Amino acid sequence: MTCLALALFAAWSLPSHAQSSAAAAASGSNLPTVSVTSSTDDDAGTEGSGSYAARSATVGSKVPLALKETPASISVLTRQRMDDQNMTTIQDALRYVTGVQSVDYGDGTAYFKARGNMLGIEFDGVPIVSGLQYLQQFDLAMYDRVEIMRGPSGVMDGAGDPGGTVNLVRKRPLDAFHVSTETQVGSFGSARQMIDVTGPLNKDGTLRGRAVLVGSDGLQSVDGTREKEVMAYGAIDYDITPRTTLSLSAGYQNNPISGLDYGASGVANSARTALVGRVPGSYSENFSPSWNYGYTSLQETNANLVHRFENGWQAQSTFFYRHELSKGDYAYSGPGASATGLSFYGEQRQRNTYDWFGTDTNVSGPVKLFGQTHTFTLGVNYTVQSTTQQSGFVSLDGPFAGGTFSLYDPNAISKVDVPFTYGANNRIEQLGVYGQARIHITEPLSLVLGAREAFYHQTAQTILPTVSDWSTQAQLNHRFLPSAGLVYDIAPWLTGYASYSKILTAQTATTYTGVNLPPRTGEQYEVGLKGSFLHNRLNATAAVFNINDNNRAVSDPNHPTGSIAGGKSRDQGVELEVSGQPMPNWNVYAGYTYLNVNYENDTPNLTDGTDPKHLFKLWTNYAFRQGMLNGVTVGGGMLAQTRITRGVEQGAYAIFNAEVGYRFNKHVEASLQLNNLFNRDYYIRPPGSFYSVFGDRRNVMLTVRSDF
């Protein structure tokens, strides 16, 4: 496929403007890479910028909007930073975003939180219900950037947790021929190869294409765990007219994992302490039998049609479909273990299928009134998730008293046949009509108003052991979700803002009589400052937020079999972030978060763990472009957080990484990255009654990249 794509792209001559761009790149001795240009409508694109600072973002607005103009906290993980930090998974990416917790689950998936709550997801601006948490995602090689808005986004996305929204924006075809490769070899025994080819498919450049292929095979930090990956992504952009563009894309990926390990549980006592002598200890130990396996496959299609009117208005429609198959057969320990490492084990077999469909249609543009230019956006979006889940569980009999096994000899566990004993179909639908107005009251003062009329419907039926009728689990009709914000231009390089957002989250818990609980409701208040310095090469933000979350489901004190909507929580915090280029050839990203979570008539969900009060993330990279060190790059970073609890307490820790690289010429560069420099022992996911995930021990990654 790759050879065919290369031949196809090379068969056409470059447009004249692409030739001149390439010639300019060749003549500029200080340019580190081949210059490429794009004729897409993605003004927020980061590919080829060479910077950690994004010009704008589309999350929360549907159209590219300067970060300073948005009364919300937004971080953008650019293509350059993903490359510099060798990020290949969504877990890698979000772990180094301000205020975000990225917690591995042990099977190639993870859960993600911000501001004390779970995050939702959009794909190219289309909100997808229940599409992020505990699910496999595509390799980052197919994405231009990752946008993250912290805080509720009910106007654009509908009912959901108030943690925020992740928007994954795919790469688009470029209008100049370009091929890049990436080869990575890791000290755990991993190898990864990527090739990315793009360019025009006809002589006038109105048809452009792109193909990205990834293959990887490697051992993981935990002994005996091996994960493979094959990913293919293709995209075509066609300019039907100079003002109308149709974009089509498709992706495929599969991820088999052998030696899958969910880790050890905590000791079965009131304190749920860790295993004796194991913290700190062997952070490479596999506590599961070698026959454990998991498998996930993803298929995805996307279509976007955009038309730009002469008066500055734009209309676009996007359609998204994804199918995911996840299956596995594995043994794991728990609940709990003895201090010396004896634990019950059970074997679980499961097969889950997920189908998502989402669509978003909107129009946006300027309106001139009272001597000012205002911007309006009107749209409607719809998303549906259909799942089929089948599972079976068998408690295994061990050789020790009470039927336990030793955590330190998991291969003594024999595999048994596990039939499916439970099955269910689930369906979640969400529909909304939304609008957003950006009204310039005066030249420096803007009022941002948003509103949504929201509909939500969740149903389920069992298919094993018997088939039941479909029943409603949660339903919301004609729920109004408003938001409001003020943005004031203090100076050309500095804005201040204040915002209010409404929260609405459906709940499936019921009273003891079986009546559905009302949704969680609440609001977020946020104030902040945003600066753009050095001709927009450096961005800085500071924000203070307060989230009130009401009607959370808690146990009914009078009826143990039911719940009541009596829980309340308040999440307060401060976020600081700097990203961009303080000097030529120097990129830096730093983010700090203080978070204080208070519960009233409620307790933390220790299945997902508590949140660190202090969280700091840093990455920097400097490229020498002259003198004896010309071509050398040096970089490094850290992640530091205070203690968290998920049964076992994980104390405060800091992880340091370092990198050195060399550009041989304008086409080829190599880098050597040393991760966990001081070999710090730590948990990403501390043990509870079940499961734990160790952080990677010290490791080295060699990366060679080429651009032509």
Side-chain angles (χ1 to χ4, degrees), residues 319-361:
F319 301 89
F320 174 90
Y321 172 76
R322 174 179 285 191
H323 172 79
E324 180 169 335
L325 166 64
S326 175
K327 60 183 180 179
D329 195 340
Y330 45 84
Y332 58 92
S333 67
S338 71
T340 56
L342 296 181
S343 178
F344 295 103
Y345 271 82
E347 182 180 343
Q348 182 166 319
R349 178 172 165 246
Q350 62 183 28
R351 187 181 192 278
N352 302 325
T353 60
Y354 307 85
D355 290 278
W356 291 271
F357 173 76
T359 181
D360 186 286
T361 299

Side-chain angles (χ1 to χ4, degrees), residues 373-686:
T373 300
H374 319 282
T375 304
F376 293 87
T377 300
L378 297 172
V380 58
N381 51 37
Y382 170 79
T383 175
V384 58
Q385 181 204 53
S386 299
T387 67
T388 297
Q389 300 171 308
Q390 295 175 291
S391 63
F393 177 83
V394 172
S395 182
L396 302 172
D397 293 326
F400 301 107
T404 60
F405 292 86
S406 171
L407 286 164
Y408 313 123
D409 187 21
N411 284 323
I413 302 171
S414 299
K415 189 183 182 310
V416 300
D417 291 329
V418 180
F420 290 136
T421 56
Y422 171 79
N425 292 324
N426 296 275
R427 183 179 175 89
I428 303 174
E429 292 181 273
Q430 185 158 212
L431 171 68
V433 179
Y434 60 86
Q436 190 177 76
R438 299 180 178 275
I439 302 169
H440 285 274
I441 300 174
T442 64
E443 187 65 31
L445 181 63
S446 298
L447 174 64
V448 182
L449 297 176
R452 182 185 184 93
E453 188 77 1
F455 302 82
Y456 181 98
H457 192 208
Q458 182 172 347
T459 57
Q461 71 163 164
T462 60
I463 56 176
L464 286 174
T466 59
V467 177
S468 69
D469 294 331
W470 285 90
S471 61
T472 296
Q473 308 296 301
Q475 186 164 354
L476 306 173
N477 288 324
H478 294 287
R479 294 295 184 126
F480 181 67
L481 281 171
S483 69
L486 283 172
V487 179
Y488 184 76
D489 295 332
I490 302 171
W493 50 270
L494 181 66
T495 61
Y497 70 91
S499 64
Y500 162 86
S501 302
K502 186 73 175 177
I503 296 169
L504 183 68
T505 305
Q507 299 189 108
T508 58
T510 63
T511 66
Y512 77 98
T513 60
V515 177
N516 293 111
L517 293 186
R520 287 165 49 196
T521 59
E523 60 281 323
Q524 175 187 266
Y525 301 92
E526 180 175 333
V527 294
L529 293 171
K530 295 186 178 183
S532 182
F533 309 92
L534 304 175
H535 302 287
N536 299 320
R537 295 199 308 270
L538 183 70
N539 296 329
T541 64
V544 179
F545 61 87
N546 180 90
I547 298 175
N548 298 315
D549 193 353
N550 305 314
N551 297 335
R552 297 167 69 101
V554 295
S555 298
D556 188 336
N558 300 315
H559 302 92
T561 59
S563 301
I564 60 172
K568 296 182 180 181
S569 71
R570 174 174 290 179
D571 306 337
Q572 298 172 308
V574 177
E575 292 172 342
L576 306 172
E577 182 178 288
V578 176
S579 62
Q581 295 179 320
M583 293 175 57
N585 304 320
W586 180 24
N587 270 306
V588 64
Y589 177 93
Y592 166 76
T593 304
Y594 168 77
L595 176 65
N596 187 26
V597 180
N598 293 303
Y599 292 91
E600 181 181 334
N601 300 327
D602 198 358
T603 56
N605 179 7
L606 292 182
T607 299
D608 298 321
T610 57
D611 304 282
K613 269 197 172 183
H614 302 276
L615 186 59
F616 177 72
K617 302 173 182 184
L618 169 71
W619 185 264
T620 184
N621 182 279
Y622 184 81
F624 293 90
R625 294 300 176 208
Q626 57 187 354
M628 294 180 61
L629 295 178
N630 183 28
V632 174
T633 60
V634 293
M638 66 177 295
L639 185 154
Q641 68 174 52
T642 49
R643 68 179 180 89
I644 59 173
T645 301
R646 202 187 70 86
V648 170
E649 180 180 298
Q650 165 65 66
Y653 67 87
I655 304 302
F656 296 86
N657 307 315
E659 184 179 45
V660 61
Y662 183 73
R663 175 166 287 280
F664 299 94
N665 52 51
K666 67 180 181 180
H667 297 298
V668 181
E669 65 177 341
S671 66
L672 193 66
Q673 183 170 323
L674 180 59
N675 301 307
N676 196 356
L677 187 64
F678 301 109
N679 208 26
R680 178 67 158 87
D681 291 338
Y682 69 102
Y683 285 110
I684 288 181
R685 188 173 192 225

Side-chain angles (χ1 to χ4, degrees), residues 1 45 57 75 81 101 162 247 255 303 310-311 370 531 600 634 649-650 660 673 677:
M1 177 178 176
S75 297
R81 191 154 77 89
Q101 282 195 83
S247 302
N255 295 86
E310 293 184 359
N311 60 2
F370 309 112
E600 181 181 334
V634 293
E649 180 180 298
Q650 165 65 66
V660 61
Q673 183 170 323
L677 187 64

